[in-house]
Amino acid sequence: MADAVMQHLHQDMEEVKKDIALIKYILSEEGELADTAKLRLAKARKTPLSDYVEV
């Protein structure tokens, strides 16, 4: 049973590693954020976390 859990965790970690590699590639190729994305990010940073997550 423990071997099955470890195998599943290993597979999940390999998928996460691939996803992170893809994200890093996209970010390195894309360069700078668009102006609309910068505005949305600034707005999101000003919004209290409590507006997003029920505490």
Side-chain angles (χ1 to χ4, degrees):
M1 177 97 166
D3 289 336
V5 171
M6 290 300 292
Q7 182 64 28
H8 185 69
L9 286 173
H10 177 73
Q11 290 171 346
D12 287 348
M13 291 302 296
E14 290 299 319
E15 286 183 39
V16 169
K17 284 171 44 178
K18 288 178 187 174
D19 291 344
I20 291 173
L22 176 62
I23 292 168
K24 286 171 62 177
Y25 173 77
I26 291 170
L27 290 174
S28 69
E29 293 297 312
E30 291 291 322
E32 203 170 311
L33 287 175
D35 289 338
T36 55
K38 288 179 184 178
L39 292 172
R40 292 172 69 188
L41 182 59
K43 181 181 176 187
R45 286 182 173 157
K46 291 178 185 176
T47 305
L49 186 58
S50 60
D51 288 359
Y52 293 109
V53 179
E54 200 172 301
V55 181

